[in-house]
Amino acid sequence: MSKSGIVNVRMVITEEKILMNIDKVQKLINPKSKKQIVQLEDDTYFKDLVESIKTYLIEYPKKKNFPASVYKAAYGLVEFATNQFEENTKRIEELIRQREENIALAGKLKEILEAVEEKEADWKSRVKEVEEDFSEDIIETLNIVGKAKNDKSQNYQDAMKLLNARINNLESNLHIEIDMERIEDRSKALSYIGIEIADALKSIPTPVEEIQEQQVVEEPQEPAVQEEQQYVEETTFEAKPSLWQRFKNSKFVRVIKAITRMRIVFDYDALPEGRGDSNQNQ
């Protein structure tokens, strides 16, 4: 049973359930878990779990007696979600760079293929120059086209089919877009946690137990008067902006614009927002 001042049996049970719900949410957003968020819009189970945590944070009657265990777990959940969101942002940027490189390679391969087809005087040297840009099979296939004396032969036709297929793959980047869509779904779920739970945490002062632990680790305890002032003014989630600011100040908007240019639906305005007053505790 919690030592945070809860005397109502119903609230004690709810505290235990909320801790379980926080653990369930963390598992759903853990990239190592087998069961993860697929599509936020369709995952009512995930949204109900987050809503139950948010409702508990908002409706808890005496914020100064808020359970330290729940506060710590909820804060940890937001921190984990924020870290995962930042990792997703980095991965998105990597995919964007990869896509741009692929498009550039597609253009280069088109130019080389045209030179080889036309049997331009310098086609061999041009193929030699791009050996580091393309795989060995592509280089060999370009040479087959260049050396072919008959464009009706099966070897020539097969070579052209392979090269055009490679160009199409580099231009379409289908595998990259699929990865981007998956990351988009996870990021929406992570942002949902950041918006809903982090916002609810702002109204809750850090439990005394947490303050005492920090003081023991960081510095000697301050006088009682200063401690009370610190408790009221400095220990809310809002007064510790580093975590929430990391979420808001991430490269999120810029990355979304880049994704939009890639024809992937990832609308910033469509991200979930706080839904106001919640219903009953889950």
Side-chain angles (χ1 to χ4, degrees), residues 77-87 243 246-247:
L77 176 61
V78 175
E79 183 173 39
F80 184 79
T82 303
N83 289 337
Q84 289 300 311
F85 189 92
E86 290 177 336
E87 288 301 314
L243 180 60
R246 276 168 54 199
F247 178 81

Side-chain angles (χ1 to χ4, degrees), residues 18-265:
I18 291 303
L19 287 171
M20 290 178 60
N21 286 356
I22 291 174
D23 183 63
K24 289 176 182 177
V25 171
Q26 185 139 341
K27 287 178 179 176
L28 286 172
I29 63 174
N30 190 327
K32 297 181 181 179
S33 298
K34 292 183 179 179
K35 184 178 181 181
Q36 298 181 34
I37 295 298
V38 178
Q39 290 189 344
L40 177 64
E41 291 83 356
D42 300 330
D43 202 325
T44 56
Y45 173 70
F46 172 78
K47 290 192 285 189
D48 286 345
L49 286 174
V50 173
E51 183 68 17
S52 72
I53 300 167
K54 173 189 172 183
T55 300
Y56 185 90
L57 296 173
I58 292 175
E59 296 186 356
Y60 196 85
K62 295 181 180 180
K63 295 294 192 289
K64 285 189 177 182
N65 292 331
F66 192 85
S69 59
V70 176
Y71 180 92
K72 186 175 182 179
Y75 189 95
L77 176 61
V78 175
E79 183 173 39
F80 184 79
T82 303
N83 289 337
Q84 289 300 311
F85 189 92
E86 290 177 336
E87 288 301 314
N88 280 3
T89 301
K90 292 177 183 177
R91 180 57 182 153
I92 287 171
E93 291 178 325
E94 290 173 1
L95 290 172
I96 290 172
R97 284 195 296 271
Q98 185 179 340
R99 183 181 189 274
E100 291 173 348
E101 290 172 2
N102 287 350
I103 292 173
L105 284 174
K108 182 179 290 187
L109 186 54
K110 273 184 178 180
E111 292 179 2
I112 298 296
L113 179 55
E114 183 178 345
V116 171
E117 279 187 284
E118 297 298 325
K119 304 293 193 294
E120 294 181 6
D122 62 343
W123 75 264
K124 289 183 180 180
S125 61
R126 293 185 64 179
V127 171
K128 189 76 175 177
E129 290 173 359
V130 298
E131 285 183 350
E132 294 184 1
D133 296 322
F134 299 102
S135 60
E136 186 177 344
D137 66 316
I138 292 297
I139 299 300
E140 289 179 356
T141 307
L142 285 169
N143 283 317
I144 289 173
V145 173
K147 294 175 182 178
K149 296 180 179 180
N150 182 0
D151 61 5
K152 303 298 182 182
S153 69
Q154 190 62 48
N155 283 345
Y156 182 92
Q157 296 296 325
D158 290 344
M160 289 298 298
K161 184 182 296 185
L162 188 151
L163 292 169
N164 284 320
R166 184 61 57 89
I167 291 170
N168 289 335
N169 288 339
L170 288 170
E171 287 180 330
S172 65
N173 290 285
L174 181 60
H175 65 290
I176 291 181
E177 296 203 6
I178 291 173
D179 286 345
M180 296 284 283
E181 289 175 354
R182 290 173 179 168
I183 295 174
E184 171 198 350
D185 289 328
R186 290 199 68 246
S187 291
K188 283 185 177 180
L190 295 169
S191 68
Y192 188 78
I193 293 171
I195 292 168
E196 298 289 329
I197 297 181
D199 190 61
L201 273 171
K202 291 179 182 179
S203 63
I204 301 173
T206 303
V208 175
E209 294 176 26
E210 294 291 309
I211 297 175
Q212 291 174 342
E213 288 179 7
Q214 293 171 10
Q215 289 174 330
V216 169
V217 174
E218 297 174 3
E219 58 185 40
Q221 260 188 315
E222 299 177 357
V225 175
Q226 293 182 19
E227 182 179 317
E228 177 64 19
Q229 183 179 359
Q230 178 185 7
Y231 179 80
V232 174
E233 298 179 358
E234 298 180 4
T235 63
T236 63
F237 184 88
E238 190 171 14
K240 300 184 210 173
S242 58
L243 180 60
W244 185 225
Q245 288 300 324
R246 276 168 54 199
F247 178 81
K248 293 195 296 182
N249 294 339
S250 68
K251 300 173 182 177
F252 190 50
V253 176
R254 181 169 64 80
V255 171
I256 289 173
K257 289 180 179 177
I259 296 174
T260 301
R261 289 198 298 270
M262 295 171 64
R263 306 185 307 279
I264 294 180
V265 179

